Amino acid sequence: MTDKLIITCAMTGAEVTKEGNPAVPYTVNEMVVSACEAVKAGASVLHIHARRDDGTPVQDAKRFAEILSAIRKECPKVILQVSTGGAVGMSRDERLGPLTLNPEMATLDCGTLNFGGDDIFVNTENDIIYFAKVMQAKQVAYELECFEKGHVDTVLRLVKKGIITQPLRFSFVLGVNGGMSGETRDLAFLKESIPDNATFSVAGVGRYEFSLAEQAILCGGHVRVGLEDNLYLEKGVLAKSNAELVHKVVEIASRLGREIATPEEARRILRMEIK
Ligand code: KMH
Ligand code: ZN
């Protein structure tokens, strides 16, 4: 039987700005409002980046602590997944800042890629191993962020070496300029490349967000949406909030007959230890 659908909301990221869409949250209060609305709409996981009030992306533990505890107060059950990707150009120790807070879940980025224009998002094999060891030592559940097929192959090689361990929770982030595109064949190829007992979620960047969501819902995957990945509800129409994007996925899932997972159900599906 297909598992219920886990919806992750990536609320703010490190690249998008209020100039692109005024609903992108920066302040702690904006994050809390956005988080609560997204959870109410059906998100069971929140993918968290921190921003200063002026929008500057940061990975420092103090800012993350403020955001996490403020969200936790209002949404006690949701899974909080901190980003260790941060923003392009940050050092690996800077990126690991939020792990000092022993979060329940974090992202582990599984390879380097050109990231839009001239930027390079660096995740060498040594970086991946370094991050994995820190996360395992702290018993943080990690999600394997793969922006293209080579990243999946890196994961599978590191699994064979015993460096990345079960359970494997993939997140395919598709449509970044420099990474893999988000056509139907791309997700089909990635899905058939991973072990049957692995879970996967799909984050379609920009115009791929909802077509990939629909494909993932149909083929037993999970879905990430949010302003980090896409600013539009539909072509030419800015999303008014993160919740509006989550709600659209809930509607697609309902049309396709897939139920939505609660945070507790999501923990079970993702085989997460309770911290
Ligand atoms: N901001 C991107 C460069 C993650 O959160 O782990 C990386 C990113 C991945 O967003
Ligand atoms: Zn992110």
Side-chain angles (χ1 to χ4, degrees):
M1 208 184 83
T2 310
D3 284 326
K4 289 189 183 178
L5 178 70
I6 300 170
I7 303 176
T8 297
C9 183
M11 299 188 295
T12 188
E15 291 81 25
V16 293
T17 63
K18 282 190 191 290
E19 282 74 55
N21 184 331
V24 173
Y26 291 166
T27 68
V28 175
N29 190 49
E30 287 169 348
M31 298 263 188
V32 174
V33 170
S34 211
C36 290
E37 291 174 354
V39 170
K40 226 186 222 164
S44 51
V45 181
L46 297 173
H47 171 72
I48 314 262
H49 285 254
R51 305 282 193 113
R52 295 256 173 255
D53 287 353
D54 67 1
T56 309
V58 287
Q59 286 293 103
D60 74 285
K62 197 163 158 271
R63 184 67 171 184
F64 263 93
E66 280 177 51
I67 294 167
L68 297 185
S69 68
I71 294 177
R72 185 54 81 217
K73 219 168 117 194
E74 301 299 323
C75 316
K77 294 194 175 142
V78 70
I79 298 170
L80 298 177
Q81 177 198 81
V82 302
S83 167
T84 66
V88 165
M90 290 177 172
S91 73
R92 64 186 188 183
D93 284 321
E94 185 179 5
R95 284 167 51 183
L96 283 169
L99 284 200
T100 59
L101 304 168
N102 293 317
E104 184 176 16
M105 192 176 203
T107 56
L108 172 55
D109 291 279
C110 295
T112 296
L113 73 156
N114 287 342
F115 206 87
D118 245 355
D119 291 328
I120 304 176
F121 183 35
V122 177
N123 298 284
T124 66
E125 190 152 319
N126 280 341
D127 293 336
I128 300 164
I129 294 168
Y130 183 76
F131 278 56
K133 287 195 170 147
V134 174
M135 292 185 202
Q136 283 156 5
K138 291 181 170 289
Q139 294 183 304
V140 174
Y142 49 88
E143 186 179 78
L144 304 157
E145 308 273 308
C146 296
F147 295 80
E148 48 108 326
K149 169 66 161 52
H151 299 179
V152 174
D153 294 334
T154 300
V155 170
L156 298 179
R157 200 153 28 79
L158 294 178
V159 170
K160 270 201 192 128
K161 289 183 174 173
I163 291 163
I164 288 178
T165 53
Q166 302 283 342
L168 304 181
R169 311 173 189 97
F170 286 92
S171 168
F172 302 134
V173 184
L174 304 182
V176 172
N177 288 336
M180 198 162 170
S181 63
E183 303 296 334
T184 305
R185 66 171 184 276
D186 297 315
L187 177 56
F189 179 41
L190 294 174
K191 179 182 171 347
E192 74 180 29
S193 304
I194 62 173
D196 287 342
N197 67 351
T199 57
F200 70 94
S201 177
V202 182
V205 172
R207 68 191 173 89
Y208 293 116
E209 186 159 73
F210 295 107
S211 54
L212 281 174
E214 178 153 346
Q215 189 183 349
I217 291 167
L218 282 169
C219 73
H222 303 284
V223 173
R224 176 176 116 176
V225 287
L227 295 169
E228 170 170 349
D229 302 327
N230 165 45
L231 300 173
Y232 292 88
L233 188 64
E234 57 189 76
K235 197 168 190 282
V237 181
L238 286 176
K240 289 196 193 73
S241 64
N242 276 298
E244 208 175 24
L245 298 169
V246 172
H247 182 67
K248 186 161 169 175
V249 175
V250 171
E251 280 186 341
I252 298 170
S254 152
R255 173 164 56 78
L256 299 174
R258 184 114 179 249
E259 285 183 70
I260 308 299
T262 63
E264 273 122 284
E265 289 167 337
R267 283 185 182 89
R268 260 199 308 280
I269 294 164
L270 296 172
R271 294 160 58 198
M272 290 170 62
E273 307 284 335
I274 308 302
K275 269 201 151 188

Short mmCIF file of all heavy atoms in Angstrom, two decimals, residues 13 47 49 83 145 224 228, ligand 2:
data_model
loop_
_atom_site.label_atom_id
_atom_site.label_comp_id
_atom_site.label_asym_id
_atom_site.label_seq_id
_atom_site.Cartn_x
_atom_site.Cartn_y
_atom_site.Cartn_z
N GLY A 13 14.45 29.62 1.96
CA GLY A 13 15.72 29.39 1.26
C GLY A 13 16.74 30.48 1.54
O GLY A 13 16.66 31.20 2.55
N HIS A 47 11.33 22.81 6.02
CA HIS A 47 12.74 22.92 5.66
C HIS A 47 13.15 24.36 5.97
O HIS A 47 12.61 25.31 5.40
CB HIS A 47 12.90 22.60 4.17
CG HIS A 47 14.25 22.89 3.61
ND1 HIS A 47 15.36 22.12 3.90
CD2 HIS A 47 14.69 23.86 2.78
CE1 HIS A 47 16.41 22.61 3.26
NE2 HIS A 47 16.03 23.67 2.57
N HIS A 49 15.69 27.59 6.51
CA HIS A 49 16.88 28.44 6.37
C HIS A 49 16.67 29.63 7.29
O HIS A 49 15.53 30.01 7.56
CB HIS A 49 17.03 28.97 4.95
CG HIS A 49 17.51 27.96 3.95
ND1 HIS A 49 18.79 27.97 3.44
CD2 HIS A 49 16.88 26.92 3.36
CE1 HIS A 49 18.93 26.97 2.57
NE2 HIS A 49 17.79 26.32 2.51
N SER A 83 18.52 23.41 7.22
CA SER A 83 19.38 23.32 6.03
C SER A 83 20.83 23.35 6.47
O SER A 83 21.23 24.16 7.30
CB SER A 83 19.12 24.53 5.13
OG SER A 83 20.15 24.61 4.15
N GLU A 145 20.01 15.41 -0.27
CA GLU A 145 19.62 16.34 -1.34
C GLU A 145 20.43 16.05 -2.60
O GLU A 145 21.66 16.20 -2.60
CB GLU A 145 19.91 17.79 -0.93
CG GLU A 145 19.33 18.20 0.40
CD GLU A 145 17.91 18.71 0.29
OE1 GLU A 145 17.66 19.59 -0.53
OE2 GLU A 145 17.07 18.19 1.04
N ARG A 224 8.02 18.33 -1.90
CA ARG A 224 8.42 19.58 -1.24
C ARG A 224 7.96 20.74 -2.11
O ARG A 224 8.19 20.73 -3.32
CB ARG A 224 9.94 19.62 -1.05
CG ARG A 224 10.42 20.94 -0.45
CD ARG A 224 11.91 20.91 -0.18
NE ARG A 224 12.60 21.87 -0.99
CZ ARG A 224 13.91 22.13 -0.92
NH1 ARG A 224 14.66 21.47 -0.06
NH2 ARG A 224 14.46 23.03 -1.69
N GLU A 228 11.03 28.94 -1.31
CA GLU A 228 12.45 28.69 -1.62
C GLU A 228 12.61 28.20 -3.06
O GLU A 228 13.57 28.53 -3.74
CB GLU A 228 13.04 27.66 -0.65
CG GLU A 228 14.45 27.19 -1.06
CD GLU A 228 15.17 26.36 -0.01
OE1 GLU A 228 14.71 26.28 1.14
OE2 GLU A 228 16.24 25.81 -0.35
ZN ZN B 2 17.32 24.71 1.20
#
